[in-house]
Amino acid sequence: MRQPLILPVLLGLLGLLVLPPSGPVRADDEDHDRARDAVLAQRARPLAEILGRIAATMPGKVLDAELETEDGRALYELKILTPDGRLVELSVDAATGAILEREEE
């Protein structure tokens, strides 16, 4: 008599749930780790806080946010799509939230 394949299939699926994903670390993961480390070291404010400050003066949808270091200073580079369709790129001091540079495309 043939045994049903349900048990081996279920065990295989369970293995997929418990094993960590394999493969290379994505750049997004590394960026997140660097940002978290900067916030913990008090070199940067949390991105959510910075975005809240920016939204008060510049409404729109944040398309991209990156944490960069320039001359030893942590900067958030933001790309924002404004409600009227303009693309605005901001360079923001990550420690203070001050807008250092603004470019419109």
Side-chain angles (χ1 to χ4, degrees):
M1 180 175 213
R2 293 180 53 189
Q3 291 191 355
L5 294 175
I6 293 174
L7 184 59
V9 170
L10 289 175
L11 289 174
L13 290 174
L14 180 62
L16 290 176
L17 295 174
V18 219
L19 295 175
S22 61
V25 174
R26 296 187 337 244
D28 294 343
D29 294 338
E30 292 172 12
D31 289 345
H32 175 77
D33 291 341
R34 285 186 324 103
R36 184 192 64 234
D37 292 345
V39 169
L40 291 174
Q42 297 183 348
R43 292 188 319 269
R45 304 299 310 147
L47 180 59
E49 179 182 320
I50 298 294
L51 293 178
R53 290 181 186 182
I54 298 298
T57 59
M58 179 174 295
K61 180 178 181 178
V62 177
L63 301 177
D64 189 34
E66 295 179 15
L67 180 67
E68 297 183 1
T69 304
E70 191 173 294
D71 298 327
R73 176 189 228 176
L75 304 173
Y76 283 115
E77 299 291 336
L78 307 174
K79 290 184 182 176
I80 300 172
L81 182 62
T82 64
D84 61 357
R86 292 177 294 126
L87 179 63
V88 178
E89 294 183 17
L90 298 177
S91 181
V92 180
D93 184 303
T96 66
I99 297 174
L100 304 174
E101 189 176 335
R102 175 186 171 144
E103 293 181 21
E104 291 189 37
E105 293 184 8

